Amino acid sequence: MENLLGVLKRENKEREKRLIVSDRRILSDMVGYMKTQKICDYDIELVRKTIIRNALRSYGRKKNLTHLVGDDYRKYCDKLCENTRKATGKELIFSRGVTAIYAMALMYMARLVDIVMTGGSFMKEPVEINLGYLAAAAVILLGTLVMYYYIFRIMKQKGTQMSTGQTGGMIAILIVIIGLAYAGAYFLSDIHLFNVIWWVPIALIALIYVLFKILYIQYENQMAKEA
């Protein structure tokens, strides 16, 4: 299945390599800012393509992206995004869902590694799923979501540098996430829930990932054709 969004992203990535390092950093901040506005993913890449093109053209006039953007890149982004489409709930579910599935896969792999580190063999005996593991996994998922929105709120604010308070807030959130996850794993690990054959969760996660990925590609292809 052709992935039109993926094709555009790869093209932009290749074009971006022609930018100077400082302009790449600004562009990364600009893309992050546009995502906080919940703009359609395909339209974000179209705007990104325009920004790269404008930056490359400015080089011929002995300027760079900083000269084009000015003191606040958000205003420049807002102007370019005037006619972009807002991301629908469906698109957000598909895109965020893919990210969540990645996280679940990593946490399950961590469980398998834990079994090996404690002298067990998940291939010879069922994998125990206890309440502590599920509690820690839930805390990490929810904590990642909190951190995600916290960073988005920072990017919406004026200024390109994080303040001391904002940095402290990120550290505090991270400490709370780690503390709660560890507490859940330590105090609730004795509560047994069920056992599973090691490959069953992998197959289930893979199936859900493929389903979400196909639906996401189909949706973005529709957005690309309507652009």
Side-chain angles (χ1 to χ4, degrees):
M1 179 186 299
E2 185 179 19
N3 185 351
L4 298 179
L5 175 60
V7 171
L8 183 55
K9 282 185 175 181
R10 288 192 295 271
E11 291 176 351
N12 283 339
K13 187 175 181 179
E14 287 301 314
R15 295 188 187 99
E16 189 176 331
K17 292 178 181 179
R18 299 165 59 189
L19 300 179
I20 60 177
V21 175
S22 60
D23 283 355
R24 291 182 200 172
R25 292 172 181 168
I26 296 175
L27 178 61
S28 178
D29 290 340
M30 295 171 81
V31 172
Y33 170 72
M34 286 187 285
K35 289 183 177 180
T36 68
Q37 308 304 303
K38 295 183 179 179
I39 298 171
C40 170
D41 286 347
Y42 192 82
D43 286 11
I44 288 178
E45 289 302 315
L46 288 177
V47 174
R48 182 184 174 197
K49 180 179 179 180
T50 299
I51 295 171
I52 295 173
R53 182 191 63 205
N54 292 344
L56 292 174
R57 287 178 177 176
S58 72
Y59 292 167
R61 302 190 300 272
K62 306 297 182 181
K63 296 183 178 181
N64 55 34
L65 189 55
T66 303
H67 291 91
L68 295 178
V69 170
D71 296 333
D72 189 358
Y73 63 76
R74 295 164 183 79
K75 292 181 179 179
Y76 187 78
C77 288
D78 291 341
K79 184 176 181 181
L80 292 177
C81 294
E82 286 178 351
N83 298 319
T84 54
R85 297 165 293 182
K86 289 292 184 180
T88 63
K90 184 185 295 186
E91 180 178 13
L92 293 174
I93 290 173
F94 291 153
S95 60
R96 304 298 187 268
V98 170
T99 303
I101 293 168
Y102 276 131
M104 287 189 291
L106 287 173
M107 284 185 286
Y108 182 66
M109 293 304 296
R111 176 67 181 126
L112 297 183
V113 171
D114 179 59
I115 291 174
V116 174
M117 293 294 290
T118 54
S121 175
F122 59 82
M123 298 188 71
K124 294 181 180 180
E125 54 191 32
V127 176
E128 180 200 13
I129 303 298
N130 55 59
L131 185 58
Y133 168 73
L134 290 185
V139 167
I140 292 173
L141 280 175
L142 292 175
T144 302
L145 185 64
V146 171
M147 182 71 78
Y148 179 81
Y149 280 104
Y150 181 78
I151 294 174
F152 267 22
R153 285 188 61 186
I154 292 175
M155 297 190 70
K156 284 184 177 182
Q157 299 174 10
K158 188 173 181 179
T160 57
Q161 298 293 328
M162 289 182 59
S163 66
T164 302
Q166 291 170 337
T167 303
M170 289 185 61
I171 295 174
I173 293 174
L174 186 60
I175 291 174
V176 171
I177 293 172
I178 295 174
L180 290 177
Y182 179 80
Y186 183 81
F187 291 107
L188 303 175
S189 60
D190 292 335
I191 303 178
H192 171 79
L193 296 179
F194 55 88
N195 293 327
V196 294
I197 302 175
W198 71 272
W199 58 265
V200 172
I202 295 177
L204 183 60
I205 291 172
L207 179 63
I208 297 174
Y209 171 79
V210 171
L211 177 61
F212 267 75
K213 194 68 175 180
I214 290 175
L215 293 173
Y216 183 43
I217 291 174
Q218 287 180 340
Y219 183 86
E220 291 302 333
N221 284 349
Q222 179 184 344
M223 294 296 99
K225 293 173 182 177
E226 294 176 357

